[in-house]
Structure formats: C-alpha cells, structure tokens
Amino acid sequence: MRLIMIEEYNEKTMQLARPIYDRHRRVLLAAGRTIHPKYLERLRQMDIKYLFVDDFISEGITMEELMDMPSWMEATEIVQKAFEGVKAGKPLNLREIQKLAVQLVDEVSRRKLLIIMPSTSLAAELRPYAHAVNVAILSLQLGKKLRLNSLQMRDLAIGALLHDIGKVIEGDEHHALKGFEYLRRNKEISLLSAHVAYQHHEMFNGEGGPRKIGHKDIHQYAQICGIANRFENLISEEGIPPHEAMEALMAKSNIDFAQELVHLFVNTIPSYPPGTKVKMSDGREAIVTKIINHMQRPYVRYLSTNEEVSLAERPNLLIISVIHDTDKK
C-alpha cells in the first residue's frame, strides 16, 4: 500500500487500498476495487487530493504506522459533532472530547510512530475535523518526545483538538481569540488547553497573532500545536510532500517557531513515509518500505532488484528526490 496524489492514479495498475468517504462519512468507494474514470472525476470535483492504493511496487508495504481508518473516522466524527454543536449554540460536548484525548494519548504513547492520513483524503466538509485530529496526533508525538507526563499530554491533546473551535463561532479572522474566550469560560478545560487555541498562530519573532507576543511569552503547547498545524496544512491543503514541508518548517526556525522544537519535530515525524517512491543518490529508483528507529533514514527497496537496504546502515546512500507518477498510460 502507498499514498499517492489523485493525479497519479492509474486504473490499469492500481486498486484502492482504503475506502473513500463522502461528507456524511458513508463509504463512497470501497477498498479493493479500481476507480472508474467517471468516479475519479467525481473525486476531483470533491477536491480529494490523495488516495491510498495497492499496486505492484507497493506489494508487502502495510503502512502499519498509520492509525486505522475506522478509529480515525470515529475521532473525526467526535470532533465534527462537537464543533457543529457549538456552532448551533449548544454546550460543548467536553466529555467526548476528553475521552478522545485520552484515546489519542494512549495511541501515541504505545506506538513508536503514528503517521497521519492527509485530511484532503476526505471530502471537503470533513476536513476541518480530520485536520484537528491530525494536529492532535502530531502534537502528541512531539509532546512524547519532550517527555510530557500523562496530564500534560491530555491538556495538549484537548488544546490541539479544539485549536480551531473559534472558526465556528466567528469565522476565520478572529478564531484564535474567540476560541480562547469560549474555552476559558469552561471551568473543566485547563487554561493551558485554552491557550493552545489562543496562541497557535503567534510566532517566535513576535509577528504572529492575535497579540503579537514573542517567543518567551508563547506557551510551549501552543508552539507545538502551531508547528503541527503548519505541517498538516502544508501536506494536506497545499499538497506539499512531507520532506518539503519539513524543509519549509526548518526555514522558519527562530522566525515562526522555536528552533529546538522544529529540530525535535523533524526527528520525530518522518519526511519519507512508507510507500514513498524515491530516487536514490546512486541514481536508482526505490520505494520506502518501513521505518524502525531513524525517522529520516528509513528502509528502502530498489524497484529494479527488490533488494531492501537500511539507510541507517548506509550513511553514504541518500534520498535525493521524491518521484510522482503522472503518466496515465
């Protein structure tokens, strides 16, 4: 199995590996089938940008590092119901959000690596909620790297899940402030969680918003969420490959985000997830098969010989580019 951009899909060689859901979270296309051109066009109209597929070159790649689809969709549904309830003027269903936060903390804590599924693999109406889940997963992995305790991880998770709650209150422009004002009125929500919503668009150099505070005044949880939020937007909404998204984050070290947090993030989240087709420094094409301990030095399998090598054990062998298949023939 591997993740491709929808433009790379070839019905002659590929089958859908994960189901595609419509805006009501119903299965639109089931796994294990090819996608007819008219359905492919419908997916484009839905602005779905990514597909999980099985093909010959990805044989044997399980992508066990992914959160399972039913759990991810359930988490997305919990966030959706919470946000839609707030939009309708109902009290926030905090109990469900708290339960989800605990589940995500447990999921991240017991696994070496948890790779997110881009929110743009779903219908547009579901993306804000899948985005919140993804940002929480990414944030928690950085929190784990920082050795936060279970209570701190829960507060971070709740803040990340609700970081955009202000958007359903007053739209995008003032969502950080409105989200904070809403969350801090709920005495069951930690003030630290509320500050994640308040400060996730503040920047290290003081040029962010809404208060334009500098790095010393930005809470660490908010910086973590800010990095996760930027990364998820880059790979999902902008369709930038993870390694390029990492480069974009590194370019903003000590400008938008604290350098030490960006460095930790780069060493926590892989730039080349399993299933990524790559060109190696020896000129040969390969596919990333698995990640054991070194996030940026995965195992790759040469497409010409099926030989698998660990880049951690071959320091002189480098990935020089990602290959995208755009030939439809």
Side-chain angles (χ1 to χ4, degrees), residues 208-219:
R211 291 188 294 159
K212 297 187 180 297
I213 56 178
H215 66 283
K216 293 181 179 178
D217 297 315
I218 305 172
H219 195 276

Side-chain angles (χ1 to χ4, degrees), residues 111-239:
R111 296 176 66 163
K112 286 186 177 180
L113 174 63
L114 193 58
I115 296 175
I116 62 170
M117 290 173 270
S119 57
T120 41
S121 60
L122 296 177
E125 292 86 351
L126 299 177
R127 287 177 199 165
Y129 320 114
H131 168 76
V133 174
N134 283 349
V135 169
I137 291 170
L138 291 167
S139 297
L140 287 171
Q141 290 185 86
L142 190 46
K144 178 182 175 182
K145 194 79 170 182
L146 290 164
R147 300 182 185 278
L148 300 184
N149 63 38
S150 58
L151 180 59
Q152 292 170 322
M153 291 280 277
R154 190 195 66 177
D155 285 346
L156 175 60
I158 291 173
L161 287 168
L162 300 176
H163 76 278
D164 277 341
I165 191 71
K167 289 185 178 181
V168 301
I169 298 171
E170 194 169 309
D172 188 51
E173 187 176 356
H174 302 292
H175 73 276
L177 174 60
K178 293 301 177 182
F180 172 69
E181 291 176 346
Y182 177 81
L183 294 175
R184 71 173 179 174
R185 289 197 295 267
N186 192 319
K187 295 181 180 180
E188 293 185 66
I189 294 178
S190 163
L191 191 59
L192 295 179
S193 298
H195 271 282
V196 172
Y198 198 14
Q199 300 180 9
H200 72 279
H201 284 305
E202 300 288 358
M203 295 181 183
F204 187 87
N205 64 2
E207 295 183 4
R211 291 188 294 159
K212 297 187 180 297
I213 56 178
H215 66 283
K216 293 181 179 178
D217 297 315
I218 305 172
H219 195 276
Q220 185 184 57
Y221 295 0
Q223 277 270 287
I224 290 170
C225 181
I227 293 171
N229 180 63
R230 180 77 60 84
F231 181 80
E232 211 284 328
N233 280 328
L234 286 170
I235 65 170
S236 290
E237 293 300 329
E238 299 188 31

Side-chain angles (χ1 to χ4, degrees), residues 59-75:
E59 185 177 355
I61 299 175
T62 61
M63 297 191 74
E64 294 176 354
E65 300 87 354
L66 284 170
M67 187 174 187
D68 69 272
M69 179 67 84
S71 296
W72 188 57
M73 291 302 299
E74 182 182 353

Side-chain angles (χ1 to χ4, degrees), residues 300-325:
V300 302
R301 183 173 68 217
Y302 283 110
L303 299 183
S304 58
T305 63
N306 280 335
E307 175 194 6
E308 187 173 74
V309 298
S310 167
L311 297 188
E313 297 174 1
R314 300 276 297 275
N316 294 328
L317 187 59
L318 305 173
I319 294 173
I320 61 172
S321 64
V322 169
I323 300 171
H324 295 292
D325 296 322

